[in-house]
């Protein structure tokens, strides 16, 4: 089963192509492919779900476990989701707030922009210390 998944490199990031349906019958195989990809030194990976129209709780669980593992290794899962039904399930369960999702593979493999924190303005009060 793991051999039926396609893994390609796009801009140095592995992209795993998910099947049209992710359920209890294939979620473990998808997770195995992801973990194998990570074992080859890729803590950040993309799961291309553009062809996926259905994802049940087993699929959500497999993706969450792979994402947690990636985070523990300094990376992350990035999902490409275009199906409104799949997006809805991710939103209802809150998974969309845990695993970043994108509309296209190029967006998902793009490096994350640096976060710029502006310095405090002169003369502005310091934030209150909650321990006082």
């Amino acid at each position: 089963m793991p051999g039926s998944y396609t893994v390609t490199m796009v801009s140095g990031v592995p992209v795993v192509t998910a099947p049209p349906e992710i359920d209890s019958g294939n979620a473990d195989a998808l997770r195995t492919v992801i973990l194998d990809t990570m074992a080859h030194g890729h803590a950040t990976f993309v799961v291309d779900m553009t062809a996926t129209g259905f994802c049940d709780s087993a699929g959500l669980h497999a993706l969450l476990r792979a994402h947690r593992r990636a985070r523990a290794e300094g990376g992350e899962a990035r999902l490409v989701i275009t199906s409104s039904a799949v997006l809805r399930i991710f939103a209802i369960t809150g998974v969309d707030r845990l695993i970043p999702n994108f509309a296209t593979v190029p967006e998902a493999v793009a490096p994350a922009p640096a976060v710029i924190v502006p310095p405090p303005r002169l003369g502005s009060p310091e934030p209150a210390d909650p321990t006082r």
Side-chain angles (χ1 to χ4, degrees), residues 17-45:
T17 302
E21 294 186 1
I22 305 172
D23 56 27
S24 61
N26 62 7
D28 286 339
L30 176 61
R31 184 172 175 270
T32 299
V33 170
I34 292 169
L35 294 179
D36 185 51
T37 299
M38 291 174 60
H40 287 90
H42 300 284
T44 294
F45 58 88

Side-chain angles (χ1 to χ4, degrees), residues 21-106:
E21 294 186 1
I22 305 172
D23 56 27
S24 61
N26 62 7
D28 286 339
L30 176 61
R31 184 172 175 270
T32 299
V33 170
I34 292 169
L35 294 179
D36 185 51
T37 299
M38 291 174 60
H40 287 90
H42 300 284
T44 294
F45 58 88
V46 172
V47 179
D48 181 358
M49 299 175 67
T50 55
T52 304
F54 176 79
C55 183
D56 73 2
S57 61
L60 290 172
H61 185 69
L63 291 168
L64 280 169
R65 288 179 60 195
H67 179 64
R68 280 191 215 118
R69 175 83 170 269
R71 295 288 302 220
E73 295 182 16
E76 70 179 348
R78 298 175 182 173
L79 307 176
V80 178
I81 305 172
T82 56
S83 164
S84 60
V86 174
L87 285 168
R88 184 170 170 217
I89 293 299
F90 278 64
I92 289 170
T93 59
V95 174
D96 64 333
R97 292 185 304 272
L98 300 173
I99 305 176
N101 62 78
F102 302 85
T104 66
V105 170

Side-chain angles (χ1 to χ4, degrees), residues 107-126:
E107 289 175 12
V109 299
V115 177
I116 299 172
V117 178
R121 294 187 329 206
L122 293 176
S124 64
E126 289 189 33

